[in-house]
Amino acid sequence: MGLPNALAVRPTEGVGFTAGRAAVIDQAGQIDGAAGNLGDCVRVDGSSGPCGSGGGSGVPLFSDGETPTGVINAMNTTFTLNFSPSPTVSLTLSRNGLLMKQGTDYSLSGTVITFFPGSVPQTGDVLLASYRR
């Protein structure tokens, strides 16, 4: 009961649909393949382009899964990011998968992260940073 109506509102394959490509919903409500090069990133509006581009500057707007540079040896408190987070609160820093808290576990000044006592990374720890730049 109601199957014809349910099937009528279900998206169908559009002319650009191709198996193995990122799917987008077109203006007609059909499933199409995203246009672009194989290495491009697909944006939420369905457009695509080089990953990290956001206005033609060529500089990516985000860093994701970056490993801050510095020796992890239980004594070093200072680590460096490739870029300055902007805004600074956009920095998400994890140690062994646990979220670190800015102002409690570490401070940030430009690209430099300084860990507070009790939060200093130990030998074997894994640091990962994600942020807007």
Side-chain angles (χ1 to χ4, degrees):
M1 195 114 193
L3 181 60
N5 289 339
L7 292 173
V9 297
R10 183 179 108 202
T12 58
E13 291 179 6
V15 294
F17 178 81
T18 306
R21 297 287 299 226
V24 295
I25 306 297
D26 67 14
Q27 297 287 346
Q30 294 181 319
I31 301 172
D32 267 332
N37 297 317
L38 190 58
D40 285 350
C41 288
V42 178
R43 297 179 181 88
V44 295
D45 66 357
S47 65
S48 64
C51 295
S53 67
S57 68
V59 177
L61 297 176
F62 295 93
S63 285
D64 190 26
E66 178 182 324
T67 301
T69 58
V71 178
I72 300 176
N73 61 3
M75 294 183 297
N76 180 32
T77 61
T78 306
F79 294 82
T80 306
L81 298 169
N82 290 327
F83 300 92
S84 295
S86 179
T88 57
V89 296
S90 70
L91 175 62
T92 301
L93 183 64
S94 67
R95 181 175 139 200
N96 297 330
L98 298 174
L99 186 62
M100 306 297 288
K101 188 172 180 181
Q102 197 171 150
T104 301
D105 297 310
Y106 66 92
S107 65
L108 176 67
S109 178
T111 61
V112 178
I113 299 167
T114 304
F115 283 92
F116 300 145
S119 297
V120 176
Q122 306 295 303
T123 303
D125 283 354
V126 175
L127 291 177
L128 290 176
S130 298
Y131 55 93
R132 181 169 172 77
R133 25 179 156 160

